[in-house]
Amino acid sequence: MKRTLLLILYLFGGLLLGTLLTEVAKKVSWLSWLCWGESVGIDSFSVDLAVIQFDIGVHISMNIALLLCIIAAVILYVKTSGKIH
């Protein structure tokens, strides 16, 4: 249980750090290559059941900065998770 929580914590930290790095890299010309990436997803569609109506959609964006930070988070997890009992 502790290892799972640690992995989730590291992954969220990697996502946040990657997002921050992407925002900084947008403003620095020689770091703009970190912002290269793609988005995939399903545009939202509506479901109307007469009583309730809701929209469903999924969109995932990935760029080099996010990918590097997620890889670093997984490596950090592998190195530190062995010390947790």
Side-chain angles (χ1 to χ4, degrees), residues 13-28:
L15 287 171
L16 289 174
L17 186 62
T19 302
L20 178 67
L21 185 58
T22 300
E23 292 300 316
V24 170
K26 284 181 185 177
K27 298 174 183 168
V28 180

Side-chain angles (χ1 to χ4, degrees), residues 28-42:
V28 180
S29 63
W30 55 276
L31 289 178
S32 63
W33 62 273
L34 288 172
C35 299
W36 184 82
E38 292 293 326
S39 296
V40 294
I42 300 170

Side-chain angles (χ1 to χ4, degrees), residues 10-79:
Y10 281 160
L11 287 177
F12 278 135
L15 287 171
L16 289 174
L17 186 62
T19 302
L20 178 67
L21 185 58
T22 300
E23 292 300 316
V24 170
K26 284 181 185 177
K27 298 174 183 168
V28 180
S29 63
W30 55 276
L31 289 178
S32 63
W33 62 273
L34 288 172
C35 299
W36 184 82
E38 292 293 326
S39 296
V40 294
I42 300 170
D43 288 332
S44 64
F45 59 92
S46 295
V47 177
D48 188 359
L49 302 174
V51 177
I52 189 170
Q53 178 182 357
F54 55 93
D55 296 324
I56 299 173
V58 176
H59 193 79
I60 298 173
S61 297
M62 182 61 67
N63 61 36
I64 294 175
L66 278 170
L67 186 63
L68 291 175
C69 288
I70 290 171
I71 290 170
V74 170
I75 290 170
L76 185 63
Y77 168 75
V78 168
K79 290 190 180 271

